[in-house]
Structure formats: C-alpha cells, structure tokens
Amino acid sequence: MCLLPMSQVSAKGTVLTGTDEGAQLPFWEWRSDTVSLRLVQRLPDQTRAFFMARGFNKQHAEQIAQSCIFQTVYKNIAPATSQRIIKYDLSKWRVIHNGKVQTLKLRESWEEEWRSKKVPPSAVIAFSWSLIPTQQSYQPQDYNWGMTAYNLPPGTRFDLKMVWTQEGVEHTDVIKNIECAPDVHLDPKEAF
C-alpha cells in the first residue's frame, strides 16, 4: 500500500500521513509547534524476525508480532532557546477501537508477562530497550525513539489519544484512523 502525503488538522496539531521513506511503510505524524510524534508501521514479519534474533522463541515472537507494533519517534521540536520542557506518560494514552477504550501495552506489563513465561533475561532486557520509555521528559530539541504496542490484531484501525504536559499544563489530542500493519509475508529482497 502506498499512501500519498495527506494532512488533517486535529484539535491542537496537524497530522501528516504517507509512506515513510526509510521503512517504505505507512506513517502517521502528529505535529504542534513544540511536539512531534511519528508512528511508522512495523510488519509482523519484521517484528517476528527482530525478536527471534534477540532470544525469543517462535511463540513469544508471534505474540509480539500480533500486538500492532509501531516504530515511534517522539520529539520536543521547540527552539533550543525556548525552555519548553515536554513530558509524557504513556499510561495516560488511550487506544480507541470500535467504541472501546484501552491502554497501550507498556514495557512494565510486558516485563511481568515475560517473567511469568520464563523468557530468558537477556531477551527481556533486549525487549525492554526496544520499547519507547513509558515516561519521559524532553528538553527543547530532545527526541527518542522505540517501539510501541497497541495490543490490537494486524490490519486493525484505531484512534490514539495522546497526553503530554508542557510547562505544567496537561494537553491532549487524538490521531484518527491509524492502521496496524497487515500480516503480509514479503520477500525481504522485494520489500525495498
């Protein structure tokens, strides 16, 4: 699927969608004057391979692959001279799907699950480091990236309610109609 760049105005920012140049997969990018959040689809096959290479067995890698994973880049894009600190806590974010509201599946929940399933500690550490932190504070021009998990099946469409704090004031906005990557099997040589 190739998406042409499109934009929509949300409550506090602008959402741009298209095809990520590096990943060659759809992205959704929400932008305000101080914050940028970019979500890039990860194919379930990419996720399976990534986590199997880090010590997860097929069953556990499959569980992750079926959880709607996005590469996530969060930035404080305020000018370096602005002193605007941005904070977020992913436990406050909400996934809205078919009239139901749920939380993201966060690092702490995964870690508890992996311990109960006796996943090797080295795999759990690699997994934790691959996810974007649950809470983060950003100085102007700071950024971070990692994966986020939405706990939805491949191909599902959902809205994402984001929450962040800027200068002590909590803000929210919604990115609408995000789509989890479909579970397609591409030949890696043909994908790019």
Side-chain angles (χ1 to χ4, degrees), residues 66-70 89-106 110 148-153 156-163 180:
Q66 295 295 315
S67 296
C68 186
I69 304 294
F70 280 84
D89 180 347
L90 295 180
S91 69
K92 295 182 176 184
W93 291 26
R94 296 295 178 260
V95 175
I96 305 156
H97 170 64
N98 285 342
K100 295 181 182 172
V101 179
Q102 67 184 45
T103 59
L104 282 71
K105 189 157 184 185
L106 301 175
W110 284 109
T148 48
Y150 297 85
N151 214 22
L152 295 168
T156 302
R157 289 190 175 272
F158 67 97
D159 298 338
L160 177 63
K161 179 183 176 189
M162 307 170 299
V163 180
C180 303

Side-chain angles (χ1 to χ4, degrees), residues 64-134:
I64 303 165
Q66 295 295 315
S67 296
C68 186
I69 304 294
F70 280 84
Q71 181 65 35
T72 305
V73 182
Y74 197 95
K75 296 179 183 180
N76 180 340
I77 56 174
T81 58
S82 75
Q83 304 295 319
R84 289 186 177 167
I85 298 172
I86 306 294
K87 297 178 182 182
Y88 72 75
D89 180 347
L90 295 180
S91 69
K92 295 182 176 184
W93 291 26
R94 296 295 178 260
V95 175
I96 305 156
H97 170 64
N98 285 342
K100 295 181 182 172
V101 179
Q102 67 184 45
T103 59
L104 282 71
K105 189 157 184 185
L106 301 175
R107 166 186 293 194
E108 295 78 9
S109 175
W110 284 109
E111 287 174 357
E112 185 177 309
E113 186 170 342
W114 297 143
R115 275 193 299 277
S116 73
K117 292 182 176 181
K118 305 208 183 317
V119 172
S122 59
V124 174
I125 290 168
F127 184 83
S128 291
W129 278 100
S130 72
L131 299 177
I132 197 162
T134 300

Side-chain angles (χ1 to χ4, degrees), residues 6 17 25 43 51 58 65 85 90 95 119 121 132 160 182 186 188:
M6 297 178 62
T17 60
L25 291 167
L43 293 172
F51 288 108
K58 268 185 153 176
I85 298 172
L90 295 180
V95 175
V119 172
I132 197 162
L160 177 63
L186 302 174

Side-chain angles (χ1 to χ4, degrees), residues 115 165 190:
R115 275 193 299 277
T165 303
E190 295 174 14

